[in-house]
Amino acid sequence: MGEEVGGAREEGKERDGASDNETKSDSGVPEVPVSADDTPEVLNKALSGLSSRWKNWWVRGILTLAMISFFFIIIYLGPMVLMMIVLCVQIKCFHEIITIGYSVYHSYHLPWFRTLSWYFLLCVNYFFYGETVTDYFFTLVQREEPLRILSKYHRFISFALYLTGFCMFVLSLVKKHYRLQFYMFGWTHVTLLIVVTQSHLIIHNLFEGMIWFIVPISCVICNDIMAYMFGFFFGRTPLIKLSPKKTWEGFIGGFFATVVFGILLSYVMSGYRFFVCPVEFNNDSNSFTVDCEPSELFQLQDYGLPPVLKSITGWTTVKLYPFQIHSIALSAFASIMGPFGGFFASGFKRAFKIKDFANTIPGHGGIMDRFDCQYLMATFVNVYIASFIRGPNPSKVIQQLLALRLDQQLHIFNSLKVHLTEKGLLPALEEAA
C-alpha cells in the first residue's frame, strides 16, 4: 500500500509539484484537473482546531485503521474472497491510470478507445485467470466437460479475443488522431503490464498459502507506517528529491521495525493451517479447502545461536519456523526495494502535475496510491517462491498422469518400474508388501 499507509504519503506529495524549472520543461504536458478536498465533513469539524500538519496526521491515521480493519475482515472470509478483492482492486487501479491518460491526452473523443481499453482488460484477465484455474484446480477442470473444453483451447481463445481487439483498434484509426491513438494504445498496454500482470502474481502467491499473501502485504504496510512515524517525529535528512518529505531517519527506522514485525507475524501465522496450506479443490466436499499437513517450512526447528548471542542470552539454541528466516528476506525487500514502487509513482505524478491518482480514500488518494509498492512486492514474492521454495508437486504430477490415455499411462508405469528397479527400490517395496 503505497508510499505510506498510515499517512506515509507526505503532505507535500506532489506538491511534488515542482520547481519552476520543472514547470517550464514540462510545459507541454497538459495538467489533470485537481481534485477538491475529499475529507469527510465530520472529520473536518472534529479536527478544525488543529494545524494542517496534525490534521493530515489524524485523518490519515483514522482512515488507515479503518483500512486495516477491513483487511482483517476479508482475511477471515478466506482466500476466495481475497481473490475477488484483488480483482476489484486491480480494476480500480486500471480505471485510475486509464482515466489520467484520457484527461492528459484529451482522448475522450477518440473513437472506441474507452471501450477498447476495457475490452483489453477483459481479454487479459480471461487469459490469466484461465491459466490459474487450469494450473491450480486441474481436478475441477477435468471433472466438468465445459471447463475441460475451455481449458484445452484456452490459449487459442485468448489469442482470438485479443486479435479481435487489435483489429478493432486498427479499424478505429482516424487520420487526424493517428499519433494520439497510438499513444493511448501504448498507455493501455503498459497499464495492463503493470497492474493486471502483477495482480495475477498476487493471486498465485495467495494460492500457495495465505501466509505468502498476508506477510508481504503486512510488511509493506508496516514499513509505510513506521517510516512515516519515524520520519514525522525524528526526520531531518532528506532521502530522495522525488519525495521531499521522505527522510533517512524514516527509511532506516522503518527497515528495522519491519524486519522485527515480519519475524513476529511469521511466528504467529506459521502455527495455523488456515494460513500455511495451499488452496485446493476437494472433490469429496465439492469446495475449495485450505487443510493440509504443514510442510517442514512451517514446523518448529532448533537453530544454533552465534557465540556472541550465546554469551548475551545464555541460550545455545532457539526454536524457529524456517519460514521466519524467509520472512527476513521479505521484510528487507519491503523496506529497501518496496519504496521504489512509491518513488516510481511519485515520479509519474510529478510528470503529469497531479497530487494523487484519484480521491477514492480521504487523506490517502486513490487505490493506486495505496498499492504502488504492493505490486512490486508481489513480483518479488512470486520470483522468490519459484526460486527458493517451490519444488515438484506430486499431486499435480498424478493429476496430469490421470488425464493421459490408458496406453500412455501404461508406458509411464513401465518406465517408472524399470527406473525403480535399477535404483534397487522396487524389490525392497515388494518384499515389504
Side-chain angles (χ1 to χ4, degrees):
M1 299 192 167
E3 293 176 275
E4 292 97 11
V5 162
R9 186 102 14 189
E10 61 280 0
E11 263 177 76
K13 215 177 297 189
E14 298 356 304
R15 266 172 234 174
D16 238 2
S19 60
D20 293 338
N21 291 336
E22 281 180 299
T23 303
K24 292 176 182 177
S25 62
D26 287 345
S27 58
V29 180
E31 295 189 26
V32 178
V34 178
S35 303
D37 182 18
D38 57 343
T39 305
E41 188 62 28
V42 64
L43 285 180
N44 273 329
K45 289 182 179 179
L47 304 173
S48 59
L50 299 177
S51 66
S52 61
R53 183 170 184 254
W54 280 100
K55 178 183 175 182
N56 184 65
W57 192 91
W58 278 104
V59 169
R60 294 184 179 203
I62 292 169
L63 269 296
T64 294
L65 291 176
M67 287 189 287
I68 291 174
S69 300
F70 177 70
F71 186 52
F72 285 142
I73 292 172
I74 60 175
I75 288 172
Y76 173 77
L77 294 175
M80 303 313 293
V81 174
L82 278 171
M83 183 183 74
M84 297 307 299
I85 294 295
V86 170
L87 176 60
C88 293
V89 168
Q90 173 218 110
I91 292 172
K92 187 64 175 74
C93 289
F94 180 84
H95 171 259
E96 290 176 1
I97 298 177
I98 288 298
T99 299
I100 291 173
Y102 289 145
S103 301
V104 169
Y105 291 113
H106 305 293
S107 53
Y108 290 100
H109 303 299
L110 294 183
W112 290 103
F113 210 89
R114 184 183 291 272
T115 302
L116 283 174
S117 295
W118 288 100
Y119 176 80
F120 283 127
L121 176 67
L122 178 66
C123 291
V124 174
N125 271 313
Y126 174 80
F127 171 73
F128 280 131
Y129 275 86
E131 291 284 308
T132 300
V133 169
T134 302
D135 188 30
Y136 283 91
F137 308 119
F138 186 80
T139 304
L140 173 63
V141 170
Q142 292 301 310
R143 197 182 67 177
E144 304 291 338
E145 183 64 25
L147 290 178
R148 186 158 62 244
I149 294 172
L150 287 174
S151 174
K152 183 176 181 180
Y153 301 107
H154 173 68
R155 295 193 177 185
F156 180 80
I157 295 171
S158 299
F159 178 72
L161 289 172
Y162 179 82
L163 199 60
T164 301
F166 178 80
C167 293
M168 289 171 63
F169 168 73
V170 173
L171 292 174
S172 72
L173 290 172
V174 178
K175 187 174 182 179
K176 62 179 181 179
H177 291 316
Y178 282 161
R179 185 166 64 176
L180 192 55
Q181 286 180 285
F182 278 103
Y183 278 157
M184 292 308 300
F185 185 78
W187 185 289
T188 298
H189 281 67
V190 171
T191 303
L192 291 171
L193 176 65
I194 292 174
V195 175
V196 182
T197 304
Q198 296 189 77
S199 66
H200 170 69
L201 297 182
I202 292 177
I203 292 173
H204 267 221
N205 300 340
L206 173 62
F207 285 162
E208 291 293 330
M210 291 214 302
I211 196 169
W212 290 105
F213 172 86
I214 297 171
V215 169
I217 283 182
S218 299
C219 285
V220 172
I221 295 173
C222 175
N223 182 253
D224 289 342
I225 294 173
M226 298 311 297
Y228 174 73
M229 296 293 286
F230 276 94
F232 188 88
F233 291 107
F234 309 110
R236 296 291 183 274
T237 313
L239 175 64
I240 186 170
K241 289 183 178 179
L242 278 173
S243 293
K245 298 293 182 179
K246 283 290 188 70
T247 63
W248 276 104
E249 290 82 0
F251 184 79
I252 296 170
F255 170 79
F256 286 106
T258 303
V259 170
V260 173
F261 171 81
I263 293 172
L264 295 177
L265 179 64
S266 299
Y267 180 83
V268 173
M269 295 186 66
S270 294
Y272 295 91
R273 294 187 181 189
F274 179 73
F275 295 122
V276 304
C277 291
V279 182
E280 295 178 344
F281 182 79
N282 189 312
N283 279 314
D284 298 329
S285 62
N286 201 33
S287 63
F288 297 99
T289 62
V290 285
D291 189 27
C292 67
E293 187 62 35
S295 67
E296 291 185 0
L297 200 61
F298 305 106
Q299 295 179 12
L300 284 171
Q301 297 183 21
D302 289 322
Y303 290 90
L305 291 176
V308 176
L309 292 180
K310 283 182 184 178
S311 61
I312 296 174
T313 63
W315 302 339
T316 56
T317 62
V318 63
K319 282 187 175 295
L320 294 173
Y321 293 101
F323 181 79
Q324 289 180 269
I325 309 299
H326 294 290
S327 75
I328 297 175
L330 301 181
S331 301
F333 185 90
S335 303
I336 298 173
M337 300 305 300
F340 279 84
F343 300 153
F344 177 85
S346 287
F348 179 89
K349 289 181 286 187
R350 286 173 71 94
F352 295 103
K353 302 180 179 67
I354 57 176
K355 180 181 178 183
D356 297 306
F357 284 95
N359 59 352
T360 310
I361 310 170
H364 289 270
I367 299 296
M368 190 64 199
D369 289 284
R370 300 274 53 90
F371 279 84
D372 46 13
C373 298
Q374 296 290 1
Y375 285 125
L376 186 62
M377 187 71 191
T379 304
F380 171 73
V381 173
N382 192 267
V383 171
Y384 189 88
I385 292 173
S387 302
F388 303 109
I389 305 297
R390 185 188 296 130
N393 190 325
S395 63
K396 286 187 179 180
V397 173
I398 292 173
Q399 289 172 0
Q400 292 171 344
L401 288 176
L402 294 176
L404 298 175
R405 299 193 311 268
L406 292 177
D407 61 312
Q408 292 174 320
Q409 293 180 24
L410 186 61
H411 174 72
I412 292 174
F413 170 77
N414 289 328
S415 299
L416 187 60
K417 182 179 178 181
V418 171
H419 174 74
L420 293 175
T421 302
E422 291 175 351
K423 294 291 184 180
L425 296 175
L426 194 58
L429 293 174
E430 291 175 348
E431 289 174 11

